[in-house]
């Protein structure tokens, strides 16, 4: 099944003359909830929906705990989750104290299998643009 995209204009201000360029931007078909994910997984294996839901919820909690502890977390065949953090710039190293470094976001680095599979993703223009 193909992914939908729409065409959007964006200003390119990198050159001496501002240009308006057109870009294909993906459109999601919706959001899959944890409950829906658990139901699908349960249909594919011998676990019940409740077993899967419990495991997914615990996995979420453990991932959060490990990120807080400074680990990156591998999701088999998908990639790695890791923490991005930073601070403002300071003229002296001693001024960059622990309370000035803040977590910014959780990032995802694709694994090699996912990267290979993405070559086969297909796109169609969204029909209701």
């Amino acid at each position: 099944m193909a992914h939908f995209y729409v065409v959007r204009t964006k200003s390119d201000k990198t050159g001496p003359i501002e240009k308006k360029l057109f870009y294909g931007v993906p459109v999601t078909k919706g959001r899959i909830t944890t409950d829906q994910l658990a139901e699908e997984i349960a249909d594919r294996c011998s676990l019940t929906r409740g077993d899967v839901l419990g495991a997914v919820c615990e996995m979420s909690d453990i991932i959060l705990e490990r990120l807080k502890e400074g680990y990156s977390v591998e999701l088999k065949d998908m990639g790695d989750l890791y923490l991005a953090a930073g601070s403002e710039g300071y003229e002296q190293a001693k001024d960059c104290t622990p309370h000035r470094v803040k977590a910014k976001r959780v990032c995802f680095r694709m694994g090699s299998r996912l990267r290979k599979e993405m070559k086969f993703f297909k796109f169609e223009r969204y029909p209701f643009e």
Side-chain angles (χ1 to χ4, degrees):
M1 175 147 263
H3 296 267
F4 288 123
Y5 74 94
V6 294
V7 177
R8 297 277 189 251
T9 59
K10 294 183 184 178
S11 296
D12 180 5
K13 300 177 184 178
T14 57
I17 300 171
E18 181 179 333
K19 294 186 266 183
K20 295 234 185 250
L21 299 175
F22 296 91
Y23 295 89
V25 180
V27 176
T28 60
K29 293 179 181 176
R31 187 173 195 201
I32 302 297
T33 66
T34 305
D35 288 333
Q36 291 168 319
L37 195 60
E39 189 70 43
E40 269 192 70
I41 294 169
D43 288 343
R44 294 184 184 197
C45 66
S46 62
L47 298 172
T48 67
R49 181 183 163 282
D51 292 337
V52 174
L53 194 54
V56 169
C57 290
E58 286 304 313
M59 185 175 84
S60 176
D61 290 346
I62 290 171
I63 287 172
L64 180 58
E65 289 171 18
R66 296 304 169 257
L67 289 172
K68 283 180 179 179
E69 293 170 356
Y71 292 94
S72 64
V73 178
E74 175 195 352
L75 300 175
K76 183 171 174 51
D77 293 333
M78 293 285 297
D80 296 290
L81 297 169
Y82 62 96
L83 187 68
S87 71
E88 294 180 27
Y90 299 97
E91 291 188 18
Q92 300 205 13
K94 65 180 176 87
D95 294 332
C96 190
T97 56
H99 76 277
R100 291 183 168 158
V101 179
K102 304 289 183 210
K104 301 287 185 187
R105 63 188 153 276
V106 174
C107 300
F108 176 75
R109 184 181 306 112
M110 276 192 297
S112 59
R113 179 179 174 208
L114 180 56
R115 189 175 314 281
K116 288 175 190 170
E117 290 294 324
M118 284 184 62
K119 293 177 185 175
F120 302 105
F121 286 13
K122 304 241 184 294
F123 287 88
E124 290 180 10
R125 195 155 180 177
Y126 192 67
F128 305 108
E129 187 176 6

